[in-house]
mmCIF file of all heavy atoms in Angstrom:
data_model
loop_
_atom_site.group_PDB
_atom_site.id
_atom_site.type_symbol
_atom_site.label_atom_id
_atom_site.label_comp_id
_atom_site.label_asym_id
_atom_site.label_seq_id
_atom_site.Cartn_x
_atom_site.Cartn_y
_atom_site.Cartn_z
ATOM 1 N N ALA A 1016 3.429 0.727 -14.378
ATOM 2 C CA ALA A 1016 3.937 -0.635 -14.229
ATOM 3 C C ALA A 1016 3.245 -1.356 -13.072
ATOM 4 O O ALA A 1016 2.960 -2.549 -13.158
ATOM 5 C CB ALA A 1016 5.447 -0.615 -14.006
ATOM 6 N N ASN A 1017 2.955 -0.628 -12.009
ATOM 7 C CA ASN A 1017 2.322 -1.221 -10.826
ATOM 8 C C ASN A 1017 0.802 -1.262 -10.891
ATOM 9 O O ASN A 1017 0.173 -2.086 -10.223
ATOM 10 C CB ASN A 1017 2.749 -0.461 -9.564
ATOM 11 C CG ASN A 1017 4.194 -0.702 -9.219
ATOM 12 O OD1 ASN A 1017 4.676 -1.824 -9.296
ATOM 13 N ND2 ASN A 1017 4.903 0.350 -8.858
ATOM 14 N N ASN A 1018 0.204 -0.360 -11.663
ATOM 15 C CA ASN A 1018 -1.260 -0.253 -11.736
ATOM 16 C C ASN A 1018 -1.680 0.040 -13.184
ATOM 17 O O ASN A 1018 -2.219 1.111 -13.464
ATOM 18 C CB ASN A 1018 -1.756 0.883 -10.822
ATOM 19 C CG ASN A 1018 -1.266 0.738 -9.408
ATOM 20 O OD1 ASN A 1018 -1.681 -0.143 -8.692
ATOM 21 N ND2 ASN A 1018 -0.350 1.616 -9.009
ATOM 22 N N PRO A 1019 -1.446 -0.891 -14.104
ATOM 23 C CA PRO A 1019 -1.643 -0.594 -15.530
ATOM 24 C C PRO A 1019 -3.072 -0.264 -15.937
ATOM 25 O O PRO A 1019 -3.274 0.430 -16.924
ATOM 26 C CB PRO A 1019 -1.156 -1.866 -16.226
ATOM 27 C CG PRO A 1019 -1.215 -2.933 -15.194
ATOM 28 C CD PRO A 1019 -0.997 -2.259 -13.874
ATOM 29 N N GLY A 1020 -4.052 -0.710 -15.178
ATOM 30 C CA GLY A 1020 -5.432 -0.451 -15.577
ATOM 31 C C GLY A 1020 -6.130 0.619 -14.763
ATOM 32 O O GLY A 1020 -7.322 0.875 -14.963
ATOM 33 N N ASP A 1021 -5.409 1.282 -13.872
ATOM 34 C CA ASP A 1021 -6.039 2.297 -13.030
ATOM 35 C C ASP A 1021 -6.402 3.524 -13.868
ATOM 36 O O ASP A 1021 -5.555 4.114 -14.534
ATOM 37 C CB ASP A 1021 -5.100 2.698 -11.886
ATOM 38 C CG ASP A 1021 -5.788 3.618 -10.907
ATOM 39 O OD1 ASP A 1021 -5.801 4.844 -11.152
ATOM 40 O OD2 ASP A 1021 -6.317 3.116 -9.890
ATOM 41 N N ILE A 1022 -7.664 3.894 -13.821
ATOM 42 C CA ILE A 1022 -8.176 4.986 -14.647
ATOM 43 C C ILE A 1022 -7.470 6.305 -14.332
ATOM 44 O O ILE A 1022 -7.107 7.056 -15.241
ATOM 45 C CB ILE A 1022 -9.707 5.135 -14.461
ATOM 46 C CG1 ILE A 1022 -10.436 3.886 -14.979
ATOM 47 C CG2 ILE A 1022 -10.233 6.390 -15.143
ATOM 48 C CD1 ILE A 1022 -10.236 3.614 -16.441
ATOM 49 N N ARG A 1023 -7.253 6.599 -13.053
ATOM 50 C CA ARG A 1023 -6.613 7.873 -12.701
ATOM 51 C C ARG A 1023 -5.188 7.944 -13.250
ATOM 52 O O ARG A 1023 -4.762 8.998 -13.733
ATOM 53 C CB ARG A 1023 -6.602 8.067 -11.180
ATOM 54 C CG ARG A 1023 -7.999 8.241 -10.616
ATOM 55 C CD ARG A 1023 -7.991 8.296 -9.118
ATOM 56 N NE ARG A 1023 -7.405 7.046 -8.608
ATOM 57 C CZ ARG A 1023 -6.973 6.879 -7.363
ATOM 58 N NH1 ARG A 1023 -7.058 7.862 -6.501
ATOM 59 N NH2 ARG A 1023 -6.486 5.728 -6.968
ATOM 60 N N ILE A 1024 -4.490 6.828 -13.211
ATOM 61 C CA ILE A 1024 -3.130 6.804 -13.754
ATOM 62 C C ILE A 1024 -3.172 6.985 -15.271
ATOM 63 O O ILE A 1024 -2.365 7.721 -15.846
ATOM 64 C CB ILE A 1024 -2.405 5.487 -13.374
ATOM 65 C CG1 ILE A 1024 -2.286 5.338 -11.859
ATOM 66 C CG2 ILE A 1024 -1.053 5.390 -14.053
ATOM 67 C CD1 ILE A 1024 -1.424 6.360 -11.175
ATOM 68 N N LEU A 1025 -4.133 6.350 -15.929
ATOM 69 C CA LEU A 1025 -4.250 6.497 -17.378
ATOM 70 C C LEU A 1025 -4.618 7.929 -17.767
ATOM 71 O O LEU A 1025 -4.105 8.457 -18.767
ATOM 72 C CB LEU A 1025 -5.292 5.510 -17.922
ATOM 73 C CG LEU A 1025 -4.883 4.034 -17.831
ATOM 74 C CD1 LEU A 1025 -6.053 3.135 -18.205
ATOM 75 C CD2 LEU A 1025 -3.664 3.753 -18.683
ATOM 76 N N VAL A 1026 -5.484 8.569 -16.991
ATOM 77 C CA VAL A 1026 -5.824 9.975 -17.259
ATOM 78 C C VAL A 1026 -4.570 10.839 -17.118
ATOM 79 O O VAL A 1026 -4.320 11.727 -17.933
ATOM 80 C CB VAL A 1026 -6.962 10.470 -16.342
ATOM 81 C CG1 VAL A 1026 -7.102 11.980 -16.395
ATOM 82 C CG2 VAL A 1026 -8.282 9.804 -16.724
ATOM 83 N N HIS A 1027 -3.766 10.566 -16.093
ATOM 84 C CA HIS A 1027 -2.524 11.323 -15.928
ATOM 85 C C HIS A 1027 -1.553 11.039 -17.078
ATOM 86 O O HIS A 1027 -0.809 11.937 -17.498
ATOM 87 C CB HIS A 1027 -1.893 11.009 -14.577
ATOM 88 C CG HIS A 1027 -2.497 11.799 -13.466
ATOM 89 N ND1 HIS A 1027 -3.741 11.525 -12.957
ATOM 90 C CD2 HIS A 1027 -2.033 12.873 -12.785
ATOM 91 C CE1 HIS A 1027 -4.009 12.390 -11.998
ATOM 92 N NE2 HIS A 1027 -2.996 13.221 -11.875
ATOM 93 N N SER A 1028 -1.554 9.832 -17.578
ATOM 94 C CA SER A 1028 -0.719 9.505 -18.731
ATOM 95 C C SER A 1028 -1.108 10.383 -19.924
ATOM 96 O O SER A 1028 -0.241 10.932 -20.622
ATOM 97 C CB SER A 1028 -0.875 8.028 -19.085
ATOM 98 O OG SER A 1028 -0.158 7.720 -20.250
ATOM 99 N N ALA A 1029 -2.399 10.528 -20.138
ATOM 100 C CA ALA A 1029 -2.880 11.381 -21.231
ATOM 101 C C ALA A 1029 -2.524 12.846 -20.975
ATOM 102 O O ALA A 1029 -2.110 13.565 -21.896
ATOM 103 C CB ALA A 1029 -4.390 11.217 -21.389
ATOM 104 N N ARG A 1030 -2.668 13.296 -19.735
ATOM 105 C CA ARG A 1030 -2.332 14.689 -19.397
ATOM 106 C C ARG A 1030 -0.864 14.983 -19.675
ATOM 107 O O ARG A 1030 -0.521 16.028 -20.234
ATOM 108 C CB ARG A 1030 -2.613 14.976 -17.918
ATOM 109 C CG ARG A 1030 -4.030 15.360 -17.628
ATOM 110 C CD ARG A 1030 -4.225 15.736 -16.176
ATOM 111 N NE ARG A 1030 -3.556 16.974 -15.840
ATOM 112 C CZ ARG A 1030 -3.306 17.349 -14.593
ATOM 113 N NH1 ARG A 1030 -3.633 16.581 -13.573
ATOM 114 N NH2 ARG A 1030 -2.711 18.494 -14.355
ATOM 115 N N ILE A 1031 -0.004 14.060 -19.266
ATOM 116 C CA ILE A 1031 1.426 14.276 -19.464
ATOM 117 C C ILE A 1031 1.758 14.247 -20.958
ATOM 118 O O ILE A 1031 2.531 15.085 -21.444
ATOM 119 C CB ILE A 1031 2.249 13.251 -18.666
ATOM 120 C CG1 ILE A 1031 2.089 13.540 -17.161
ATOM 121 C CG2 ILE A 1031 3.715 13.275 -19.078
ATOM 122 C CD1 ILE A 1031 2.665 12.481 -16.255
ATOM 123 N N ALA A 1032 1.168 13.314 -21.687
ATOM 124 C CA ALA A 1032 1.385 13.284 -23.139
ATOM 125 C C ALA A 1032 0.950 14.611 -23.759
ATOM 126 O O ALA A 1032 1.649 15.166 -24.616
ATOM 127 C CB ALA A 1032 0.619 12.115 -23.767
ATOM 128 N N HIS A 1033 -0.179 15.129 -23.311
ATOM 129 C CA HIS A 1033 -0.689 16.410 -23.805
ATOM 130 C C HIS A 1033 0.300 17.530 -23.469
ATOM 131 O O HIS A 1033 0.652 18.344 -24.330
ATOM 132 C CB HIS A 1033 -2.061 16.679 -23.189
ATOM 133 C CG HIS A 1033 -2.775 17.838 -23.792
ATOM 134 N ND1 HIS A 1033 -3.950 18.301 -23.291
ATOM 135 C CD2 HIS A 1033 -2.488 18.645 -24.835
ATOM 136 C CE1 HIS A 1033 -4.353 19.332 -23.999
ATOM 137 N NE2 HIS A 1033 -3.476 19.566 -24.947
ATOM 138 N N GLU A 1034 0.760 17.578 -22.225
ATOM 139 C CA GLU A 1034 1.709 18.613 -21.800
ATOM 140 C C GLU A 1034 3.010 18.539 -22.589
ATOM 141 O O GLU A 1034 3.636 19.570 -22.846
ATOM 142 C CB GLU A 1034 2.009 18.494 -20.306
ATOM 143 C CG GLU A 1034 0.852 18.857 -19.408
ATOM 144 C CD GLU A 1034 0.538 20.344 -19.385
ATOM 145 O OE1 GLU A 1034 1.460 21.157 -19.593
ATOM 146 O OE2 GLU A 1034 -0.630 20.682 -19.176
ATOM 147 N N LEU A 1035 3.415 17.334 -22.949
ATOM 148 C CA LEU A 1035 4.651 17.155 -23.713
ATOM 149 C C LEU A 1035 4.452 17.381 -25.212
ATOM 150 O O LEU A 1035 5.391 17.278 -25.987
ATOM 151 C CB LEU A 1035 5.233 15.757 -23.463
ATOM 152 C CG LEU A 1035 5.779 15.526 -22.056
ATOM 153 C CD1 LEU A 1035 6.135 14.054 -21.849
ATOM 154 C CD2 LEU A 1035 6.984 16.421 -21.780
ATOM 155 N N GLY A 1036 3.202 17.673 -25.608
ATOM 156 C CA GLY A 1036 2.920 17.974 -27.008
ATOM 157 C C GLY A 1036 2.593 16.776 -27.867
ATOM 158 O O GLY A 1036 2.473 16.906 -29.080
ATOM 159 N N ASN A 1037 2.435 15.607 -27.266
ATOM 160 C CA ASN A 1037 2.091 14.418 -28.022
ATOM 161 C C ASN A 1037 0.565 14.300 -28.061
ATOM 162 O O ASN A 1037 -0.040 13.536 -27.315
ATOM 163 C CB ASN A 1037 2.731 13.171 -27.400
ATOM 164 C CG ASN A 1037 2.640 11.977 -28.301
ATOM 165 O OD1 ASN A 1037 1.742 11.890 -29.147
ATOM 166 N ND2 ASN A 1037 3.545 11.042 -28.134
#
Side-chain angles (χ1 to χ4, degrees):
N1017 290 318
N1018 306 290
D1021 187 275
I1022 295 299
R1023 293 174 301 164
I1024 299 295
L1025 292 172
V1026 167
H1027 278 74
S1028 176
R1030 275 184 69 197
I1031 291 171
H1033 190 186
E1034 291 289 331
L1035 291 171
N1037 192 334

